[in-house]
Amino acid sequence: MTDHSQPFHTIAGQPADARSSIEDRYSRQIRYSRIGLDGQERLQRARIAIVGMGALGSVLAQHLVRSGVGYTRLIDRDIVEWSNLQRQMLYTEQDAERLLPKAAAAAEHLRAINSSVIVEPVMVDLNSANACQWLGDVDLILDGTDNFSVRYLINDYSLKSGTPWIYGGAVGATGMTLTVVPHETPCYRCLFPEPPAPGATDTCETAGVLSPIVDIIASIQAAEAIKLLSGNRDALHRTLFQVDLWNHAWLPVHISEARKDDCPACRNQRYEFLDEQRRETLATALCGRQSVQLSPGQSACLDLDAMAQRLSETGQVYQNPYLLRLNLSGGMTFVLFSDGRAIVQGTEDLAKARSIYAELLGN
Ligand SMILES: [Zn+2]
């Protein structure tokens, strides 16, 4: 019979030292024989980067932070919007109201889930100029982006540095995933040699996306990550795994023979996406969102307080620790991050967005 007078148990029925007990927190995972205590310790020593903290990234981060991966870097360039809440599982209405960057909001929620691991939010647009800085010291890169050029960049970086990465994509009710182990499996470019032309493929903006497919793809990615990081490389699925959830079709395409002899990246060490140099400010339409992103060729370190003061002469300014937003005429808004990146909302006109950027920042 339980002695209820013992102070050892808290009201919730948890042992008083549960907070510090690794064995207790991860007991169900450790009990799974392929993980065990050794696998758990490996997970706790592991460092990962998740690129893109949208729908896939939300699920990836939850699984891996809960599993006890010791260090997780969250890389994302966006802020939480209302249209995200249908499928981006980590975010709340409050995050959208507070105009929080996704990486910062995610880090806040993930730290509340597991305070015993390190979660680092990074609010940047990953590109060839900063890839080494943000991917340089991790054991595994997870793709949570919806962006082809970033995937080709990650593939190049992975091969050049020998860091595995796990691709994932979902649109409509279909999705696919691939685990790339450099120089062992085919790489992303062996299977998809060139990025599709703009507008050639469906996107979440044009075709929509159902939240369960995102969960399934990200969960397969997370399982692959746990296998890799816990020392179970032999258990990787080693396919291009495709799922059509609407028609309940599961299609693992075998790729053991798919390494291409003429692959520029994994055979010829030509890293075209990583080595491209850029000096000028890049303007990109954020498809279907009436927004243009401006990304300077070299990242800056702006004093947001000083900028807010300067811009308040132009219009009404809202500021939080990560960004400031200026209301412009014609219903447009200008969101500026401290690294010099900006999003002009309310237009898809690249030239117009570029000139607003130049006018406000004086370059
Ligand atoms: Zn290749």
Side-chain angles (χ1 to χ4, degrees):
M1 212 172 135
T2 314
D3 178 2
H4 291 283
S5 66
Q6 280 198 7
F8 183 69
H9 286 84
T10 64
I11 295 165
Q14 285 288 314
D17 60 353
R19 176 170 275 273
S20 60
S21 164
I22 297 297
E23 282 82 356
D24 184 61
R25 179 186 278 265
Y26 304 115
S27 58
R28 303 305 188 274
Q29 193 165 279
I30 292 169
R31 209 164 292 166
Y32 183 64
S33 63
R34 295 295 300 273
I35 304 287
L37 197 55
D38 176 61
Q40 187 60 43
E41 284 168 358
R42 285 170 184 252
L43 286 173
Q44 283 161 234
R45 287 195 299 272
R47 298 171 61 86
I48 62 169
I50 302 176
V51 185
M53 281 304 299
L56 292 167
S58 285
V59 176
L60 288 169
Q62 279 227 46
H63 281 303
L64 295 166
V65 165
R66 285 185 192 274
S67 300
V69 169
Y71 174 93
T72 300
R73 182 176 296 143
L74 313 171
I75 303 172
D76 194 280
R77 64 186 185 184
D78 260 328
I79 49 186
V80 180
E81 294 178 274
W82 289 89
S83 65
N84 300 150
L85 301 180
Q86 163 255 354
R87 67 196 179 285
Q88 303 190 8
M89 302 286 186
L90 266 178
Y91 307 117
T92 65
E93 293 185 352
Q94 268 198 338
D95 297 331
E97 267 159 15
R98 289 163 68 199
L99 211 72
L100 287 182
K102 285 182 187 173
E108 205 175 290
H109 299 308
L110 291 164
R111 285 170 184 152
I113 287 168
N114 190 350
S115 60
S116 72
V117 297
I118 299 170
V119 177
E120 185 198 13
V122 177
M123 282 74 82
V124 297
D125 183 35
L126 191 73
N127 56 45
S128 57
N130 63 18
C132 190
Q133 180 183 359
W134 298 119
L135 303 178
D137 53 357
V138 297
D139 306 305
L140 175 66
I141 303 161
L142 288 138
D143 168 30
T145 67
D146 53 1
N147 183 299
F148 285 102
S149 57
V150 175
R151 287 184 186 130
Y152 284 86
L153 174 71
I154 294 173
N155 190 63
D156 274 2
Y157 183 81
S158 154
L159 294 165
K160 192 170 181 180
S161 65
T163 314
W165 77 283
I166 305 176
Y167 153 66
V171 62
T174 66
M176 65 170 90
T177 174
L178 168 77
T179 302
V180 177
V181 181
H183 314 299
E184 189 180 310
T185 65
C187 81
Y188 188 69
R189 274 195 98 174
C190 289
L191 300 175
F192 307 103
E194 297 295 332
T201 54
D202 277 336
T203 68
C204 294
E205 281 76 20
T206 59
V209 61
L210 297 187
S211 76
I213 186 63
V214 178
D215 249 309
I216 286 171
I217 295 299
S219 294
I220 296 171
Q221 289 178 276
E224 291 281 282
I226 290 171
K227 291 173 194 172
L228 263 170
L229 299 172
S230 66
N232 288 288
R233 192 172 279 214
D234 57 325
L236 297 174
H237 62 68
R238 292 178 191 274
T239 66
L240 175 65
F241 199 89
Q242 302 181 53
V243 182
D244 176 347
L245 208 50
W246 204 256
N247 296 302
H248 197 69
W250 300 72
L251 184 65
V253 178
H254 293 281
I255 52 167
S256 51
E257 307 294 318
R259 257 194 99 184
K260 279 220 176 101
D261 285 337
D262 59 350
C263 175
C266 73
R267 291 287 192 196
N268 298 316
Q269 285 86 48
R270 273 202 347 261
Y271 306 118
E272 296 159 8
F273 297 88
L274 186 62
D275 293 338
E276 72 172 7
Q277 296 290 328
R278 181 163 61 78
R279 291 249 170 268
E280 77 285 9
T281 297
L282 185 71
T284 331
L286 300 177
C287 168
R289 286 174 36 196
Q290 280 284 308
S291 301
V292 177
Q293 176 183 252
L294 289 313
S295 182
Q298 282 170 323
S299 69
C301 192
L302 300 179
D303 179 345
L304 283 182
D305 290 333
M307 279 306 299
Q309 202 157 26
R310 231 179 80 195
L311 294 179
S312 62
E313 288 159 24
T314 315
Q316 197 191 355
V317 175
Y318 166 87
Q319 190 182 357
N320 71 27
Y322 312 102
L323 55 86
L324 56 85
R325 182 185 61 191
L326 168 71
N327 290 336
L328 301 169
S329 60
M332 290 191 297
T333 55
F334 179 78
V335 178
L336 179 66
F337 299 84
S338 58
D339 64 351
R341 207 159 48 78
I343 296 173
V344 180
Q345 298 169 315
T347 182
E348 284 185 346
D349 183 337
L350 301 185
K352 188 174 185 180
R354 223 185 258 119
S355 81
I356 291 171
Y357 184 86
E359 237 166 67
L360 294 174
L361 274 92
N363 69 356

